[in-house]
């Protein structure tokens, strides 16, 4: 079940772990499509300058080149799915109907130092909505609701989506007389990792704030609420700015909408800043309750200026599930597991090699009715064929003895006469089930 | 529908094309799981020496490195899924039950010159069975049957799997007194591309054959049959060798098994050689009938010595669907298309922004019953909301007017009273259908 240790930061799952990942991806797709998101995949590489333009990621990018020949020089593996999507939208704007809704499930690569929950190759599952010119505000709540609905379908601990708005932070900083908000955002973004005291030092030493400004920034970051009551608490700090007011109104609208449909699914938390430069409004992070230190499993935000072809700007809002991080948590703590590691529900035994065709016929009939099965690889003694099924976690063995077909549940030992044209296993044995593990 | 021309060799599909690809991947997964194959994904990178060890691919490999820092030096993107799978099996042999059956659907990268059907980044869907020590011969027929069953589920032109066996070729060459079969195989592999005359020149000039040897190699390559009758025709060429006999027996067994279950699905064709070095027995290629010049869409073979940990060898057999090549053929010739480009079946109109919540409620109820829907992005006049649905290809628009909900099929114009708790679209409108295109 655990991940391979072959190459640090490049996780691989054994089949039972992969089933957990597949279940998560299947549920994501099902929920995303119910909400009208179209599937999309973009190429894995982008021109290096496209990637470097979009944030502080230059040290994290993997460049690729042909072993012999340099005609592809200047390409690098994408580090997220938002930047490639923005490029795709501009490139194909004439062929898309706006607002355009897409989901995208692909691997991304970052040259980060590998550690718990942090990988160099990992899978993301993103949803985004972009429009041409102007994107309606209600989509910001919609993204959180879609992700909350999806997360609610999984057999995992409760999750909570943390909401903030860049305009609240930047407006507040501006109202405080801080000229450059970037170093302040970077420092605030480190609160979970290094703590309040260290961030205060960073705000004063690196961002150049005075002690009063730093304390107010920290007081703002400490505000958290399950409803729009946060607005009054921000105003009580005595800072005013038009951008701050705009952000407060937007954030209040998002928490109101989300709470009305799914009470408890989200919370306003003003210390959420998000590292990437391109966010301009609402930002999201998501915690698994009880595993907060594991980091956000689902993050994103609104980006009003990421995609533009010079004439038209395509504002967007998106949220990205860190599939590999979530799976590594679920498997690593045994929070979720698969009921078996193979799709196979039935092993069809082989009486002797001469009659293998008859076993193939049984398997063919069962598969025709949607029952996954295998034919035994060798006509060993039945005891050995049963042990083969047991070792693979296959629950049933079919014995195609002439004129007397039977099927045995090898867990209970119960063996009954059976006809391949009519017999079916119980629904919970048809496919592997994804269940809560013993770590819950 | 057509592919992007952004970066040569790195195709991207618009949403309607992606639906065709998804349908192919869904069917592949369904059929593979019915046959007991477990899903697996391996990391995208391997140590360069692992890749270069496995064939004449050094010029095709993409190496990766971090933009800053060289700690990952020596890694490259995989060029197929077989070599990484062999590495995975050796690394995890203790955790796998043999014979181990897996399918793997991932992107691979090759630095080839892009041309029709040939890409630098493309998706493969592979099935393989590996065993420890010895792998039963009947799996060679099984792989072809699984792929033929899968291909038969698609709304595409007929396909035929071409079969050969490396032992037939190498035994025949040995029987002819040819010391080094590698340059002969390479020349024969070019028959489709450069023709018989040019290959004859290659056999004589590059491989050092005399005219008699070259002609017999070409006569062997010209043999094709739908059953085991090819054996006599090979023997009639008057060459004998124990390895040739072994190959003929294996190949006859495979065509017999495949033809019994699926007549016409496969054909023996002794000019199939396969470029990769690691094949040791049965080899497969697959043609789409009427589009033979497009190249093989599904290839593979048996590799008895690819995976070994020094003590145990893990022989395997596998076959790989070239998903991107197939999709590019289907879309490029309009052989297959999606009935619409979005998952959405119903657009719920918005009467005015104040009542958006009521539209959200309708959508929520429909989704709860598995009906994909969207809520209109803006409370425009109904005519404009209908045009929005029409532009996106959404077949139904729901009008949630107080006390008088109706749903309209915007293709026929029929509008009926409806209740979100009971109304459903016809099955063929629920999700996008994948249909034959106008190119058929």
């Amino acid at each position: 079940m655990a991940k391979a240790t072959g190459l640090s930061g490049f996780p691989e799952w054994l089949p039972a772990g992969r089933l957990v990942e597949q279940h998560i991806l299947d549920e994501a797709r099902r929920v995303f499509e119910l909400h009208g998101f179209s599937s999309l995949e973009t190429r894995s590489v982008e021109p290096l300058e496209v990637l470097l333009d979009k944030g502080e990621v230059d040290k994290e990018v993997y460049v690729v080149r042909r072993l012999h020949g340099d005609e592809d020089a200047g390409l690098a593996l994408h580090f997220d799915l938002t930047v490639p999507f923005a490029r795709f939208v501009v490139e194909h704007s004439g062929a898309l109907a706006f607002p355009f809704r897409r989901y995208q499930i692909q691997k991304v690569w970052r040259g980060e130092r590998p550690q718990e929950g942090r990988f160099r190759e990992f899978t993301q599952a993103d949803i985004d909505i972009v429009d041409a010119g102007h994107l309606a505000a209600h989509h910001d709540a919609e993204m959180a609701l879609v992700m909350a609905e999806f997360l609610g379908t999984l057999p995992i601990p409760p999750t909570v989506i943390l909401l903030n708005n860049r305009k609240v932070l930047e407006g507040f900083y501006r109202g405080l007389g801080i000229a450059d908000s970037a170093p302040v955002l970077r420092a605030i973004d480190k609160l979970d990792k290094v703590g309040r005291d260290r961030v205060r030092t960073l705000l004063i030493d690196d961002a150049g704030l005075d002690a009063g400004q730093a304390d107010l920034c920290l007081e703002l970051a400490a505000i958290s609420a399950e409803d729009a009551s946060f607005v009054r608490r921000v105003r009580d700090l005595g800072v005013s700015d038009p951008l701050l007011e705009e952000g407060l109104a937007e954030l209040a609208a998002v928490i109101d909408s989300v709470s009305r449909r799914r009470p408890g699914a989200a919370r306003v938390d003003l210390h959420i800043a998000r590292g990437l430069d391109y966010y301009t409004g609402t930002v999201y992070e998501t915690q698994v309750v009880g595993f907060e230190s594991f980091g956000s499993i689902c993050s994103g935000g609104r980006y009003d200026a990421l995609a533009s072809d010079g004439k038209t700007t395509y504002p967007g809002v998106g949220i990205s599930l860190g599939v590999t991080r979530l799976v590594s948590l679920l498997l690593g703590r045994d929070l979720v597991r698969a009921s078996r590691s193979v799709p196979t529900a039935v092993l069809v035994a082989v009486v002797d090699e001469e009659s293998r065709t008859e076993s193939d016929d049984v398997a063919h009939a069962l598969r025709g009715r949607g029952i996954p099965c295998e034919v035994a690889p060798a006509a060993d003694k039945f005891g050995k064929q049963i042990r083969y099924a047991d070792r693979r976690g296959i629950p049933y063995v079919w014995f195609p003895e002439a004129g007397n077909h039977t099927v045995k549940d090898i867990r209970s030992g119960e063996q009954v006469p059976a006809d391949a044209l009519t017999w079916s296993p119980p629904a919970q044995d048809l496919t592997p089930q994804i269940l809560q593990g013993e770590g819950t």
Side-chain angles (χ1 to χ4, degrees), chain A:
Chain A
M1 186 72 95
K3 70 173 200 287
T5 51
L7 200 56
S8 179
F10 293 86
E12 295 181 323
W13 313 117
L14 287 169
R18 171 64 181 159
L19 284 170
V20 170
E21 182 174 59
Q22 272 189 308
H23 178 76
I24 289 170
L25 296 178
D26 288 346
E27 282 298 291
R29 174 180 172 183
R30 187 180 66 78
V31 172
F32 298 163
E33 290 182 354
L34 278 175
H35 286 263
F37 291 88
S38 290
S39 176
L40 200 71
E41 289 200 344
T42 58
R43 63 191 189 220
S44 301
V45 298
E46 296 292 336
L48 188 55
E49 67 269 20
V50 169
L51 299 178
L52 296 191
D53 201 30
K54 306 302 180 186
E56 304 172 75
V57 292
D58 65 318
K59 68 178 182 304
E60 301 183 351
V61 172
Y62 281 103
V63 294
V64 304
R65 65 170 179 79
R66 289 182 61 189
L67 184 55
H68 304 294
D70 56 1
E71 54 195 289
D72 286 331
L75 296 180
L77 296 170
H78 54 214
F79 62 84
D80 74 358
L81 303 177
T82 311
V83 172
F85 173 59
R87 189 264 311 153
F88 182 94
V89 165
V90 170
E91 198 168 301
H92 298 278
S93 59
L96 304 174
F98 293 98
F100 177 56
R101 309 159 71 86
R102 81 88 178 80
Y103 72 93
Q104 190 167 347
I105 299 174
Q106 280 182 261
K107 291 194 163 59
V108 305
W109 294 267
R110 294 186 193 179
E112 296 192 272
R113 194 163 56 84
Q115 49 186 295
E116 191 183 55
R118 200 171 284 269
F119 304 101
R120 295 187 152 187
E121 174 177 63
F122 53 100
T123 300
Q124 289 193 335
D126 284 30
I127 48 174
D128 287 82
I129 303 175
V130 292
D131 208 340
H134 171 75
L135 176 71
H138 54 78
H139 294 300
D140 291 23
E142 184 183 8
M143 303 312 276
L145 282 166
V146 174
M147 273 294 178
E149 180 178 330
F150 153 69
L151 290 167
T153 69
L154 301 178
I156 65 173
T159 57
V160 59
I161 298 176
L162 308 181
L163 301 167
N164 197 356
N165 189 303
R166 278 279 177 93
K167 293 175 186 171
V168 170
L169 300 182
E170 295 187 19
F172 188 87
Y173 302 154
R174 207 163 70 182
L176 269 176
I178 300 169
D180 183 8
S181 63
V184 182
L185 279 171
R186 274 201 300 277
I188 293 294
D189 197 37
K190 296 197 171 84
L191 265 172
D192 285 338
K193 274 186 209 155
V194 304
R196 182 190 156 103
D197 289 351
R198 178 87 189 101
V199 169
R200 188 169 189 276
T201 307
L202 287 173
L203 287 172
I204 293 170
D205 292 354
D206 289 8
L209 273 54
D210 64 36
Q213 287 172 323
D215 288 333
L216 278 167
C217 289
L218 288 166
E219 282 194 59
L220 181 77
I223 292 174
S224 169
E226 296 214 342
D227 54 31
S229 64
F230 74 93
V231 175
R232 193 186 39 74
R233 291 171 60 195
V234 174
R235 293 218 177 97
D236 286 350
L237 297 178
V239 176
S240 74
D241 179 90
L243 189 64
L244 171 62
E245 282 306 312
E246 195 179 317
L248 289 174
E250 288 180 9
L251 189 52
V254 173
I255 189 67
D256 279 347
S257 284
V258 176
S259 301
R260 189 167 51 230
R261 177 81 46 203
R262 298 188 79 89
R267 197 174 74 217
V268 167
D269 190 326
L270 301 189
H271 93 282
I272 301 301
R274 301 297 306 139
L276 292 169
D277 283 356
Y278 49 68
Y279 296 120
T280 53
T282 304
V283 289
Y284 316 93
E285 291 198 356
T286 307
Q287 292 177 339
V288 181
V289 176
F291 300 91
E292 289 79 2
S293 69
F294 206 78
S296 173
I297 57 153
C298 197
S299 310
R302 174 179 273 254
Y303 43 92
D304 276 336
L306 181 59
S308 171
D309 58 13
K311 279 186 300 194
T312 307
T313 298
Y314 300 90
V317 61
I319 187 163
S320 172
L321 174 72
V323 178
T324 305
R325 176 177 288 185
L326 177 59
V327 172
S328 77
L329 171 65
L330 298 178
L331 299 181
R333 310 293 173 94
D334 194 14
L335 299 176
V336 172
R337 53 167 62 178
S339 61
R340 62 178 188 254
S341 70
V342 293
T344 318
V346 181
L347 177 76
V348 183
V350 175
V351 176
D352 49 45
E353 285 300 335
E354 291 64 45
S355 66
R356 173 170 293 279
T357 307
E358 282 143 53
S359 297
D360 287 339
D361 290 343
V362 171
H364 188 71
L366 291 172
R367 288 183 193 120
R369 297 171 45 245
I371 302 167
C373 51
E374 293 173 44
V375 176
D380 296 317
K381 287 185 179 161
F382 282 167
K384 193 168 174 193
Q385 296 191 49
I386 291 170
R387 281 196 301 281
Y388 169 80
D390 189 40
R391 211 166 58 238
R392 284 172 65 72
I394 302 171
Y396 295 92
V397 178
W398 191 285
F399 300 97
E401 291 172 290
N404 180 29
H405 283 214
T406 55
V407 65
K408 179 175 189 157
D409 181 336
I410 64 172
R411 299 158 302 186
S412 68
E414 190 191 12
Q415 188 162 356
V416 296
D419 181 335
L421 298 176
T422 54
W423 179 86
S424 288
Q428 74 270 19
D429 286 335
L430 185 63
T431 56
Q433 303 295 298
I434 304 302
L435 311 165
Q436 289 195 342
E438 302 202 341
T440 49

